[in-house]
Short mmCIF file of all heavy atoms in Angstrom, two decimals:
data_model
loop_
_atom_site.label_atom_id
_atom_site.label_comp_id
_atom_site.label_asym_id
_atom_site.label_seq_id
_atom_site.Cartn_x
_atom_site.Cartn_y
_atom_site.Cartn_z
N MET A 1 86.23 84.98 128.39
CA MET A 1 87.36 84.10 128.14
C MET A 1 88.21 84.63 127.00
O MET A 1 87.72 84.94 125.93
CB MET A 1 86.85 82.69 127.80
CG MET A 1 87.98 81.70 127.47
SD MET A 1 87.33 80.06 127.12
CE MET A 1 88.79 79.31 126.42
N HIS A 2 89.49 84.76 127.27
CA HIS A 2 90.39 85.25 126.24
C HIS A 2 90.99 84.09 125.45
O HIS A 2 91.55 83.17 126.03
CB HIS A 2 91.51 86.08 126.87
CG HIS A 2 91.00 87.34 127.48
ND1 HIS A 2 90.64 88.44 126.72
CD2 HIS A 2 90.78 87.68 128.76
CE1 HIS A 2 90.22 89.39 127.54
NE2 HIS A 2 90.29 88.96 128.77
N ASP A 3 90.85 84.17 124.18
CA ASP A 3 91.39 83.14 123.31
C ASP A 3 92.45 83.75 122.42
O ASP A 3 92.23 84.04 121.26
CB ASP A 3 90.25 82.53 122.48
CG ASP A 3 90.76 81.36 121.63
OD1 ASP A 3 91.75 80.73 122.01
OD2 ASP A 3 90.17 81.12 120.57
N GLU A 4 93.60 84.02 123.01
CA GLU A 4 94.68 84.66 122.25
C GLU A 4 95.69 83.62 121.79
O GLU A 4 96.58 83.22 122.54
CB GLU A 4 95.36 85.73 123.11
CG GLU A 4 94.44 86.92 123.35
CD GLU A 4 95.23 88.11 123.85
OE1 GLU A 4 96.46 88.02 123.96
OE2 GLU A 4 94.61 89.15 124.14
N LEU A 5 95.50 83.22 120.59
CA LEU A 5 96.43 82.27 119.98
C LEU A 5 97.66 83.03 119.50
O LEU A 5 97.56 83.97 118.72
CB LEU A 5 95.75 81.57 118.81
CG LEU A 5 96.62 80.56 118.05
CD1 LEU A 5 97.01 79.39 118.94
CD2 LEU A 5 95.88 80.07 116.81
N HIS A 6 98.80 82.64 120.00
CA HIS A 6 100.03 83.31 119.58
C HIS A 6 100.68 82.55 118.44
O HIS A 6 100.84 81.33 118.48
CB HIS A 6 100.99 83.44 120.77
CG HIS A 6 100.55 84.48 121.74
ND1 HIS A 6 99.60 84.24 122.70
CD2 HIS A 6 100.90 85.79 121.87
CE1 HIS A 6 99.40 85.36 123.40
NE2 HIS A 6 100.17 86.31 122.91
N VAL A 7 101.03 83.32 117.43
CA VAL A 7 101.61 82.74 116.23
C VAL A 7 102.86 83.53 115.84
O VAL A 7 102.97 84.71 116.14
CB VAL A 7 100.60 82.75 115.07
CG1 VAL A 7 99.53 81.70 115.27
CG2 VAL A 7 100.00 84.13 114.88
N GLU A 8 103.75 82.87 115.16
CA GLU A 8 104.99 83.53 114.74
C GLU A 8 104.89 83.94 113.28
O GLU A 8 104.57 83.13 112.42
CB GLU A 8 106.16 82.56 114.94
CG GLU A 8 107.50 83.25 114.72
CD GLU A 8 108.67 82.29 114.96
OE1 GLU A 8 108.65 81.55 115.96
OE2 GLU A 8 109.59 82.28 114.13
N CYS A 9 105.18 85.20 113.03
CA CYS A 9 105.15 85.72 111.66
C CYS A 9 106.29 85.08 110.85
O CYS A 9 107.44 85.09 111.28
CB CYS A 9 105.29 87.24 111.69
SG CYS A 9 105.46 87.95 110.05
N ILE A 10 105.94 84.55 109.67
CA ILE A 10 106.92 83.87 108.83
C ILE A 10 107.93 84.87 108.24
O ILE A 10 109.04 84.50 107.89
CB ILE A 10 106.21 83.09 107.69
CG1 ILE A 10 107.18 82.19 106.94
CG2 ILE A 10 105.51 84.02 106.71
CD1 ILE A 10 107.56 80.94 107.68
N ILE A 11 107.56 86.13 108.18
CA ILE A 11 108.43 87.14 107.57
C ILE A 11 109.39 87.74 108.59
O ILE A 11 110.60 87.69 108.41
CB ILE A 11 107.60 88.27 106.92
CG1 ILE A 11 106.61 87.70 105.89
CG2 ILE A 11 108.54 89.29 106.27
CD1 ILE A 11 107.24 87.06 104.68
N CYS A 12 108.87 88.33 109.65
CA CYS A 12 109.73 89.03 110.60
C CYS A 12 110.08 88.17 111.81
O CYS A 12 110.99 88.50 112.57
CB CYS A 12 109.08 90.34 111.05
SG CYS A 12 107.58 90.15 112.03
N GLY A 13 109.38 87.06 111.99
CA GLY A 13 109.68 86.15 113.08
C GLY A 13 109.17 86.60 114.43
O GLY A 13 109.43 85.95 115.44
N GLU A 14 108.42 87.71 114.46
CA GLU A 14 107.89 88.18 115.73
C GLU A 14 106.64 87.40 116.11
O GLU A 14 105.88 86.97 115.25
CB GLU A 14 107.55 89.67 115.63
CG GLU A 14 108.79 90.55 115.60
CD GLU A 14 108.41 92.02 115.61
OE1 GLU A 14 107.34 92.37 116.14
OE2 GLU A 14 109.19 92.82 115.08
N THR A 15 106.45 87.22 117.39
CA THR A 15 105.26 86.53 117.88
C THR A 15 104.12 87.51 118.04
O THR A 15 104.26 88.55 118.69
CB THR A 15 105.55 85.84 119.21
OG1 THR A 15 106.64 84.93 119.03
CG2 THR A 15 104.35 85.06 119.70
N LYS A 16 103.00 87.21 117.42
CA LYS A 16 101.82 88.06 117.46
C LYS A 16 100.62 87.21 117.86
O LYS A 16 100.68 85.99 117.85
CB LYS A 16 101.56 88.66 116.06
CG LYS A 16 102.75 89.34 115.42
CD LYS A 16 102.86 90.78 115.86
CE LYS A 16 104.03 91.45 115.13
NZ LYS A 16 104.06 92.90 115.38
N THR A 17 99.52 87.90 118.15
CA THR A 17 98.28 87.15 118.33
C THR A 17 97.65 86.93 116.96
O THR A 17 97.92 87.69 116.01
CB THR A 17 97.30 87.92 119.24
OG1 THR A 17 97.01 89.18 118.68
CG2 THR A 17 97.89 88.10 120.63
N ALA A 18 96.84 85.91 116.85
CA ALA A 18 96.29 85.50 115.56
C ALA A 18 95.48 86.62 114.90
O ALA A 18 95.36 86.66 113.68
CB ALA A 18 95.43 84.26 115.74
N GLY A 19 94.94 87.53 115.70
CA GLY A 19 94.14 88.61 115.15
C GLY A 19 94.95 89.74 114.55
O GLY A 19 94.40 90.65 113.96
N GLU A 20 96.25 89.67 114.69
CA GLU A 20 97.12 90.76 114.23
C GLU A 20 97.71 90.52 112.85
O GLU A 20 98.70 91.13 112.49
CB GLU A 20 98.26 90.98 115.22
CG GLU A 20 97.81 91.56 116.55
CD GLU A 20 99.00 91.82 117.46
OE1 GLU A 20 99.65 90.84 117.88
OE2 GLU A 20 99.28 92.98 117.73
N GLY A 21 97.11 89.63 112.09
CA GLY A 21 97.66 89.37 110.77
C GLY A 21 96.79 88.42 109.97
O GLY A 21 95.63 88.20 110.30
N ILE A 22 97.36 87.87 108.92
CA ILE A 22 96.63 86.96 108.05
C ILE A 22 97.33 85.61 108.01
O ILE A 22 98.52 85.51 108.29
CB ILE A 22 96.52 87.51 106.61
CG1 ILE A 22 97.92 87.78 106.03
CG2 ILE A 22 95.67 88.78 106.59
CD1 ILE A 22 97.92 87.94 104.52
N ARG A 23 96.57 84.60 107.60
CA ARG A 23 97.17 83.27 107.44
C ARG A 23 97.23 82.93 105.96
O ARG A 23 96.27 83.13 105.23
CB ARG A 23 96.33 82.22 108.17
CG ARG A 23 96.57 82.24 109.66
CD ARG A 23 95.86 81.07 110.31
NE ARG A 23 96.22 81.00 111.73
CZ ARG A 23 97.33 80.39 112.17
NH1 ARG A 23 98.15 79.82 111.32
NH2 ARG A 23 97.61 80.37 113.45
N ILE A 24 98.37 82.42 105.55
CA ILE A 24 98.52 81.90 104.19
C ILE A 24 98.87 80.43 104.34
O ILE A 24 99.89 80.09 104.92
CB ILE A 24 99.62 82.65 103.42
CG1 ILE A 24 99.21 84.12 103.22
CG2 ILE A 24 99.89 81.97 102.08
CD1 ILE A 24 100.24 84.95 102.50
N ILE A 25 97.97 79.59 103.83
CA ILE A 25 98.05 78.16 104.07
C ILE A 25 98.04 77.99 105.59
O ILE A 25 97.09 78.42 106.24
CB ILE A 25 99.28 77.51 103.40
CG1 ILE A 25 99.36 77.97 101.92
CG2 ILE A 25 99.18 76.00 103.46
CD1 ILE A 25 100.58 77.47 101.19
N SER A 26 99.07 77.45 106.19
CA SER A 26 99.07 77.31 107.64
C SER A 26 100.06 78.27 108.29
O SER A 26 100.30 78.20 109.49
CB SER A 26 99.41 75.86 108.02
OG SER A 26 100.70 75.54 107.57
N GLU A 27 100.63 79.17 107.48
CA GLU A 27 101.61 80.10 108.00
C GLU A 27 100.95 81.44 108.29
O GLU A 27 99.85 81.73 107.84
CB GLU A 27 102.75 80.28 107.00
CG GLU A 27 103.45 78.99 106.65
CD GLU A 27 104.12 78.31 107.84
OE1 GLU A 27 104.36 78.98 108.86
OE2 GLU A 27 104.39 77.12 107.75
N PHE A 28 101.67 82.27 109.04
CA PHE A 28 101.11 83.54 109.50
C PHE A 28 101.98 84.70 109.05
O PHE A 28 103.21 84.63 109.11
CB PHE A 28 101.01 83.51 111.02
CG PHE A 28 100.53 84.79 111.63
CD1 PHE A 28 99.17 85.09 111.66
CD2 PHE A 28 101.43 85.70 112.17
CE1 PHE A 28 98.73 86.28 112.23
CE2 PHE A 28 100.99 86.89 112.73
CZ PHE A 28 99.64 87.17 112.77
N ILE A 29 101.32 85.76 108.59
CA ILE A 29 102.02 87.00 108.25
C ILE A 29 101.33 88.12 109.01
O ILE A 29 100.12 88.29 108.92
CB ILE A 29 101.99 87.28 106.74
CG1 ILE A 29 102.74 86.17 105.98
CG2 ILE A 29 102.61 88.65 106.44
CD1 ILE A 29 102.71 86.31 104.47
N CYS A 30 102.11 88.87 109.80
CA CYS A 30 101.51 89.91 110.64
C CYS A 30 101.09 91.12 109.79
O CYS A 30 101.51 91.29 108.65
CB CYS A 30 102.48 90.31 111.75
SG CYS A 30 103.88 91.30 111.22
N ASP A 31 100.27 91.95 110.39
CA ASP A 31 99.72 93.11 109.69
C ASP A 31 100.80 94.01 109.10
O ASP A 31 100.68 94.46 107.97
CB ASP A 31 98.86 93.94 110.66
CG ASP A 31 97.47 93.34 110.82
OD1 ASP A 31 97.04 92.58 109.93
OD2 ASP A 31 96.82 93.65 111.82
N SER A 32 101.85 94.26 109.88
CA SER A 32 102.88 95.18 109.40
C SER A 32 103.62 94.61 108.20
O SER A 32 103.92 95.32 107.24
CB SER A 32 103.85 95.55 110.53
OG SER A 32 104.45 94.39 111.05
N CYS A 33 103.88 93.32 108.23
CA CYS A 33 104.55 92.68 107.09
C CYS A 33 103.63 92.60 105.88
O CYS A 33 104.05 92.81 104.76
CB CYS A 33 105.04 91.29 107.47
SG CYS A 33 106.44 91.32 108.60
N GLU A 34 102.36 92.33 106.12
CA GLU A 34 101.41 92.26 105.03
C GLU A 34 101.30 93.62 104.34
O GLU A 34 101.32 93.71 103.12
CB GLU A 34 100.04 91.83 105.55
CG GLU A 34 99.04 91.60 104.43
CD GLU A 34 97.61 91.81 104.86
OE1 GLU A 34 97.34 91.98 106.06
OE2 GLU A 34 96.75 91.80 103.96
N THR A 35 101.21 94.67 105.16
CA THR A 35 101.13 96.01 104.62
C THR A 35 102.37 96.34 103.80
O THR A 35 102.29 96.90 102.71
CB THR A 35 100.99 97.04 105.77
OG1 THR A 35 99.83 96.71 106.51
CG2 THR A 35 100.90 98.45 105.23
N GLU A 36 103.52 95.92 104.32
CA GLU A 36 104.76 96.19 103.61
C GLU A 36 104.83 95.40 102.30
O GLU A 36 105.30 95.90 101.29
CB GLU A 36 105.95 95.83 104.51
CG GLU A 36 107.08 96.82 104.34
CD GLU A 36 108.25 96.50 105.27
OE1 GLU A 36 108.02 96.07 106.40
OE2 GLU A 36 109.38 96.68 104.82
N MET A 37 104.33 94.18 102.33
CA MET A 37 104.33 93.36 101.12
C MET A 37 103.45 93.97 100.04
O MET A 37 103.81 93.97 98.87
CB MET A 37 103.83 91.95 101.45
CG MET A 37 104.86 91.14 102.19
SD MET A 37 104.23 89.50 102.59
CE MET A 37 104.36 88.71 101.00
N VAL A 38 102.29 94.47 100.46
CA VAL A 38 101.37 95.08 99.50
C VAL A 38 102.01 96.31 98.88
O VAL A 38 101.87 96.57 97.68
CB VAL A 38 100.04 95.45 100.19
CG1 VAL A 38 99.16 96.29 99.28
CG2 VAL A 38 99.29 94.17 100.59
N ARG A 39 102.75 97.06 99.68
CA ARG A 39 103.41 98.27 99.20
C ARG A 39 104.66 97.98 98.39
O ARG A 39 105.11 98.81 97.62
CB ARG A 39 103.82 99.14 100.39
CG ARG A 39 102.65 99.82 101.09
CD ARG A 39 103.19 100.67 102.22
NE ARG A 39 102.13 101.30 102.98
CZ ARG A 39 102.33 101.87 104.17
NH1 ARG A 39 103.54 101.86 104.71
NH2 ARG A 39 101.34 102.44 104.81
N THR A 40 105.23 96.81 98.63
CA THR A 40 106.51 96.51 98.01
C THR A 40 106.39 96.39 96.50
O THR A 40 105.62 95.59 95.99
CB THR A 40 107.09 95.20 98.59
OG1 THR A 40 107.26 95.35 99.98
CG2 THR A 40 108.44 94.89 97.96
N ASP A 41 107.15 97.17 95.81
CA ASP A 41 107.19 97.12 94.35
C ASP A 41 108.16 96.03 93.92
O ASP A 41 109.06 95.64 94.65
CB ASP A 41 107.66 98.48 93.83
CG ASP A 41 107.46 98.58 92.34
OD1 ASP A 41 106.36 98.98 91.91
OD2 ASP A 41 108.39 98.23 91.59
N VAL A 42 107.96 95.54 92.71
CA VAL A 42 108.85 94.50 92.17
C VAL A 42 110.29 94.97 92.16
O VAL A 42 111.22 94.18 92.33
CB VAL A 42 108.40 94.10 90.75
CG1 VAL A 42 109.35 93.05 90.15
CG2 VAL A 42 106.97 93.56 90.78
N MET A 43 110.49 96.26 91.99
CA MET A 43 111.83 96.82 91.91
C MET A 43 112.44 97.06 93.29
O MET A 43 113.62 97.36 93.41
CB MET A 43 111.81 98.16 91.14
CG MET A 43 111.30 98.02 89.70
SD MET A 43 112.29 96.87 88.71
CE MET A 43 113.76 97.87 88.50
N ASP A 44 111.62 96.92 94.30
CA ASP A 44 112.11 97.17 95.65
C ASP A 44 113.10 96.09 96.07
O ASP A 44 112.93 94.91 95.79
CB ASP A 44 110.91 97.19 96.61
CG ASP A 44 111.29 97.79 97.96
OD1 ASP A 44 112.15 97.20 98.65
OD2 ASP A 44 110.72 98.82 98.31
N ALA A 45 114.10 96.49 96.76
CA ALA A 45 115.14 95.55 97.19
C ALA A 45 114.61 94.47 98.12
O ALA A 45 115.18 93.39 98.23
CB ALA A 45 116.27 96.31 97.87
N LYS A 46 113.51 94.76 98.79
CA LYS A 46 112.96 93.80 99.73
C LYS A 46 112.17 92.69 99.06
O LYS A 46 111.91 91.66 99.65
CB LYS A 46 112.04 94.51 100.74
CG LYS A 46 112.79 95.21 101.83
CD LYS A 46 111.82 95.79 102.83
CE LYS A 46 112.56 96.45 103.99
NZ LYS A 46 111.63 97.13 104.90
N TYR A 47 111.77 92.89 97.83
CA TYR A 47 110.90 91.93 97.16
C TYR A 47 111.47 90.52 97.12
O TYR A 47 110.78 89.57 97.46
CB TYR A 47 110.56 92.45 95.76
CG TYR A 47 109.47 91.68 95.07
CD1 TYR A 47 108.13 91.88 95.44
CD2 TYR A 47 109.74 90.75 94.08
CE1 TYR A 47 107.12 91.17 94.82
CE2 TYR A 47 108.74 90.04 93.45
CZ TYR A 47 107.42 90.26 93.82
OH TYR A 47 106.44 89.55 93.20
N PRO A 48 112.74 90.36 96.72
CA PRO A 48 113.32 89.01 96.72
C PRO A 48 113.28 88.35 98.08
O PRO A 48 113.11 87.13 98.18
CB PRO A 48 114.77 89.23 96.25
CG PRO A 48 114.71 90.50 95.49
CD PRO A 48 113.68 91.34 96.20
N PHE A 49 113.41 89.13 99.12
CA PHE A 49 113.36 88.59 100.48
C PHE A 49 111.98 88.03 100.77
O PHE A 49 111.84 86.93 101.31
CB PHE A 49 113.73 89.68 101.48
CG PHE A 49 113.52 89.27 102.92
CD1 PHE A 49 114.37 88.35 103.51
CD2 PHE A 49 112.48 89.79 103.65
CE1 PHE A 49 114.17 87.96 104.83
CE2 PHE A 49 112.27 89.41 104.97
CZ PHE A 49 113.13 88.49 105.56
N PHE A 50 110.95 88.76 100.42
CA PHE A 50 109.59 88.29 100.65
C PHE A 50 109.30 87.03 99.85
O PHE A 50 108.71 86.08 100.35
CB PHE A 50 108.57 89.38 100.27
CG PHE A 50 108.51 90.50 101.26
CD1 PHE A 50 108.54 91.82 100.84
CD2 PHE A 50 108.40 90.25 102.63
CE1 PHE A 50 108.48 92.86 101.75
CE2 PHE A 50 108.34 91.29 103.54
CZ PHE A 50 108.38 92.60 103.10
N ILE A 51 109.72 87.02 98.62
CA ILE A 51 109.50 85.85 97.77
C ILE A 51 110.22 84.64 98.35
O ILE A 51 109.69 83.53 98.38
CB ILE A 51 109.97 86.12 96.32
CG1 ILE A 51 109.13 87.25 95.71
CG2 ILE A 51 109.88 84.86 95.47
CD1 ILE A 51 107.64 86.98 95.67
N HIS A 52 111.43 84.89 98.81
CA HIS A 52 112.19 83.80 99.43
C HIS A 52 111.44 83.23 100.62
O HIS A 52 111.34 82.01 100.79
CB HIS A 52 113.56 84.34 99.87
CG HIS A 52 114.38 83.32 100.61
ND1 HIS A 52 115.00 82.27 99.98
CD2 HIS A 52 114.66 83.19 101.94
CE1 HIS A 52 115.63 81.54 100.90
NE2 HIS A 52 115.45 82.08 102.08
N GLN A 53 110.91 84.10 101.45
CA GLN A 53 110.18 83.65 102.64
C GLN A 53 108.93 82.88 102.24
O GLN A 53 108.60 81.85 102.82
CB GLN A 53 109.79 84.85 103.51
CG GLN A 53 110.97 85.58 104.10
CD GLN A 53 111.72 84.75 105.13
OE1 GLN A 53 112.40 83.80 104.80
NE2 GLN A 53 111.61 85.11 106.39
N LEU A 54 108.21 83.36 101.24
CA LEU A 54 106.99 82.70 100.80
C LEU A 54 107.30 81.35 100.16
O LEU A 54 106.56 80.39 100.35
CB LEU A 54 106.23 83.59 99.80
CG LEU A 54 105.59 84.82 100.42
CD1 LEU A 54 104.99 85.70 99.33
CD2 LEU A 54 104.48 84.43 101.40
N LYS A 55 108.40 81.26 99.45
CA LYS A 55 108.78 79.99 98.83
C LYS A 55 109.01 78.92 99.90
O LYS A 55 108.71 77.76 99.69
CB LYS A 55 110.06 80.16 98.00
CG LYS A 55 109.79 80.64 96.58
CD LYS A 55 111.09 80.72 95.80
CE LYS A 55 110.85 81.22 94.38
NZ LYS A 55 112.12 81.50 93.69
N GLN A 56 109.56 79.35 101.02
CA GLN A 56 109.81 78.39 102.10
C GLN A 56 108.51 77.73 102.55
O GLN A 56 108.50 76.56 102.90
CB GLN A 56 110.45 79.11 103.29
CG GLN A 56 111.90 79.48 103.02
CD GLN A 56 112.57 80.00 104.28
OE1 GLN A 56 111.94 80.67 105.09
NE2 GLN A 56 113.83 79.70 104.44
N ILE A 57 107.43 78.49 102.53
CA ILE A 57 106.13 77.94 102.92
C ILE A 57 105.76 76.80 101.99
O ILE A 57 105.42 75.72 102.43
CB ILE A 57 105.04 79.03 102.88
CG1 ILE A 57 105.38 80.17 103.85
CG2 ILE A 57 103.68 78.42 103.20
CD1 ILE A 57 104.44 81.36 103.73
N PHE A 58 105.85 77.06 100.69
CA PHE A 58 105.41 76.06 99.72
C PHE A 58 106.36 74.86 99.67
O PHE A 58 105.92 73.74 99.49
CB PHE A 58 105.28 76.71 98.33
CG PHE A 58 104.18 77.73 98.29
CD1 PHE A 58 104.47 79.08 98.25
CD2 PHE A 58 102.86 77.32 98.32
CE1 PHE A 58 103.45 80.02 98.23
CE2 PHE A 58 101.84 78.25 98.31
CZ PHE A 58 102.14 79.61 98.26
N ILE A 59 107.62 75.13 99.87
CA ILE A 59 108.59 74.02 99.90
C ILE A 59 108.28 73.10 101.07
O ILE A 59 108.25 71.89 100.93
CB ILE A 59 110.04 74.57 100.01
CG1 ILE A 59 110.43 75.22 98.68
CG2 ILE A 59 111.02 73.44 100.36
CD1 ILE A 59 111.72 76.06 98.76
N GLU A 60 107.98 73.70 102.21
CA GLU A 60 107.66 72.88 103.38
C GLU A 60 106.42 72.05 103.16
O GLU A 60 106.36 70.89 103.54
CB GLU A 60 107.44 73.78 104.59
CG GLU A 60 108.76 74.27 105.19
CD GLU A 60 108.52 75.23 106.34
OE1 GLU A 60 107.40 75.28 106.87
OE2 GLU A 60 109.47 75.94 106.70
N LYS A 61 105.40 72.66 102.52
CA LYS A 61 104.13 71.97 102.35
C LYS A 61 104.22 70.86 101.30
O LYS A 61 103.45 69.93 101.31
CB LYS A 61 103.02 72.96 101.96
CG LYS A 61 102.76 74.01 103.00
CD LYS A 61 102.57 73.40 104.40
CE LYS A 61 102.78 74.46 105.48
NZ LYS A 61 102.85 73.84 106.82
N ASN A 62 105.18 70.99 100.39
CA ASN A 62 105.34 69.98 99.35
C ASN A 62 106.25 68.84 99.79
O ASN A 62 106.33 67.82 99.11
CB ASN A 62 105.91 70.62 98.07
CG ASN A 62 104.87 71.48 97.39
OD1 ASN A 62 103.68 71.27 97.54
ND2 ASN A 62 105.33 72.46 96.63
N ALA A 63 106.91 69.03 100.90
CA ALA A 63 107.88 68.03 101.34
C ALA A 63 107.16 66.77 101.83
O ALA A 63 106.04 66.84 102.30
CB ALA A 63 108.77 68.59 102.44
ZN1 LIG B 1 105.77 90.20 110.52
#
């Protein structure tokens, strides 16, 4: 029996299976985005984007 739960990555918005990434709270971040986040330096232009996306998670949960 295949149990492929499909989830949407909060960062890139792509639909993946649950095994292709990690969950933070109830949100999902795919492997490629997680890898990119780990590599992302504070000085990297993408960093504010990631923080913005992560803030949305906490804002939603606090609402
Ligand atoms: Zn992603």
Side-chain angles (χ1 to χ4, degrees):
M1 178 178 167
H2 294 284
D3 184 26
E4 290 196 3
L5 179 64
H6 287 82
V7 286
E8 188 178 315
C9 173
I10 190 76
I11 304 295
C12 67
E14 287 185 27
T15 302
K16 309 274 183 172
T17 59
E20 291 183 294
I22 57 163
R23 282 188 173 276
I24 295 179
I25 311 177
S26 62
E27 302 298 341
F28 176 81
I29 297 177
C30 73
D31 279 339
S32 58
C33 289
E34 186 206 353
T35 301
E36 218 178 323
M37 286 179 76
V38 170
R39 287 181 183 167
T40 301
D41 191 88
V42 178
M43 300 301 288
D44 195 297
K46 281 184 177 174
Y47 191 77
F49 172 72
F50 286 132
I51 296 302
H52 176 74
Q53 295 292 72
L54 289 174
K55 274 183 181 171
Q56 287 189 325
I57 299 173
F58 293 107
I59 289 167
E60 282 177 16
K61 298 310 161 190
N62 288 334

